[in-house]
Amino acid sequence: MLFYISLVFIMFPVVTFSQTQACVKLTLVPLQENVISLLENSFLNVTFGIDASSCPFRTSYAITVNTRTLDGKSEYDGSMTLLDGTCSDTRNTSVRCISPTGPGQLYRKVNRSHVQTQWEWKWKDPQSGRFMNNRKELNLNVLYTPSVISMTINGHEANSRQLINEGQINISCLFDKGNPPADCSLLDRNRKQLHHLRSENLLIYSLTVQCQDEWPVLHCEGKGSDKNRSVSLLVKCRPQFVDKHPKVISDTEYEKWIFNVRAHTTKLESCFLSSLPLEENSNKEIKCTLTGDPPDLLLTVDLNKEDSDKEGEWTLSLLNEKGFSDPLVFSKISRSTNMILLMLRILRFSTHLA
């Protein structure tokens, strides 16, 4: 006797893990791509929600938002849940429900360290009973201007005025080239380019400065930068006369001579005045003061009536810690002679009018 066994296979619908994941989608509005460009210190504003219209079930969802930084750390932005059509959010975070039923909104300030925002959503599959999750990323392209991080002279951080010895000096400028990267340059006092960077962040340049040269003013700048550095180099030198003749301010009791002088300091150790031809005791120390901001200074020489009334050639020398200036030789007429010449000019003018 033969027995026949019939096996009947009943096919039950099976929803796989990947299929269930695929039907639950996160939408970001109004973004169409996975990258967004925005200015530093502006706000990332994204509306998001769950689209489960193609899923064969209804369930609740928990959405967590984090922003990742360059060093791999993660900053918590906030969370939101959708339960039975009701939206709820965490207080005092950057995530909120726009309405009682959703969708949600992320509104947070970004800086140059932020590279990506991540949404992770979780739910329970009612058919399998398994907890499932998915994730979506939005890459951040944060735009910011270049800036000068540091400027050094011979290895020392530069101030607005830098005291140096004459000879070769080494300048370095460290830049943050910004995003998008900008060109950076070293410029002289006339804005002429001395050196230029396109890809590197560190600029290194050398030049030689002598006392008799024009003392450099240097600028480290990035194109479009709002944070640059400049330095005026003060060379340790003997005082240098710029004017060849003084501006004279006279009164009945005194006379002042004023000269433009170049020096790295306003400190004078002494000031000597001589009349020519040299006579006994004709070389004497007098009162002199330097005022202003180095290197462009004003020298004021105070003279008494006896000295100021002499006419002829004079020699003036200044002394600071680097030594004596080259002597300045100039001619000067006395106040009485000046008065006579003035009267003669007035007389000629009066005669001409007559």
Side-chain angles (χ1 to χ4, degrees), residues 68-269:
R68 192 164 58 84
T69 59
L70 278 169
D71 56 7
K73 295 180 180 179
S74 186
E75 297 178 358
Y76 175 69
D77 293 321
S79 300
M80 186 184 82
T81 59
L82 295 170
L83 178 61
D84 296 329
T86 301
C87 180
S88 60
D89 54 41
T90 51
R91 299 293 181 183
N92 301 318
T93 65
S94 301
V95 172
R96 69 181 185 94
C97 296
I98 295 178
S99 73
T101 58
Q105 180 191 44
L106 169 67
Y107 188 72
R108 64 110 69 213
K109 184 183 284 191
V110 296
N111 60 48
R112 67 189 66 185
S113 72
H114 296 134
V115 295
Q116 187 182 76
T117 297
Q118 301 172 339
W119 285 261
E120 185 174 3
W121 60 101
K122 299 180 181 180
W123 71 97
K124 185 178 182 179
D125 181 4
Q127 293 181 336
S128 66
R130 300 177 64 179
F131 285 95
M132 312 188 74
N133 65 78
N134 208 338
R135 190 171 68 179
K136 188 178 184 71
E137 294 91 11
L138 174 65
N139 295 318
L140 306 178
N141 182 30
V142 180
L143 309 175
Y144 60 95
T145 58
S147 61
V148 179
I149 299 173
S150 69
M151 181 180 187
T152 63
I153 305 294
N154 292 335
H156 300 286
E157 189 67 22
N159 301 308
S160 59
R161 290 183 176 86
Q162 190 75 22
L163 199 59
I164 62 169
N165 293 311
E166 66 175 336
Q168 180 172 301
I169 62 168
N170 300 308
I171 307 108
S172 67
C173 294
L174 181 62
F175 295 92
D176 182 336
K177 296 178 72 65
N179 182 33
D183 294 346
C184 301
S185 302
L186 179 67
L187 310 174
D188 66 11
R189 68 166 64 238
N190 300 315
R191 319 300 296 179
K192 179 182 177 182
Q193 191 176 93
L194 299 174
H195 196 41
H196 183 62
L197 283 180
R198 290 191 179 274
S199 58
E200 303 86 357
N201 290 338
L202 180 63
L203 179 153
I204 299 175
Y205 187 77
S206 297
L207 58 84
T208 300
V209 181
Q210 303 294 335
C211 287
Q212 66 272 19
D213 297 337
E214 183 180 44
W215 296 354
V217 176
L218 303 173
H219 308 275
C220 282
E221 295 186 2
K223 187 176 181 180
S225 172
D226 56 2
K227 186 180 179 182
N228 298 312
R229 294 285 299 273
S230 298
V231 60
S232 176
L233 298 181
L234 306 179
V235 190
K236 294 180 182 179
C237 299
R238 299 176 299 145
Q240 302 173 57
F241 285 99
V242 177
D243 294 332
K244 301 305 180 185
H245 297 278
K247 175 184 177 182
V248 179
I249 300 176
S250 298
D251 202 343
T252 56
E253 300 297 328
Y254 70 90
E255 187 167 283
K256 290 182 181 293
W257 296 349
I258 298 176
F259 299 85
N260 287 294
V261 171
R262 183 169 71 166
H264 64 277
T265 176
T266 58
K267 184 178 179 181
L268 285 176
E269 295 188 7

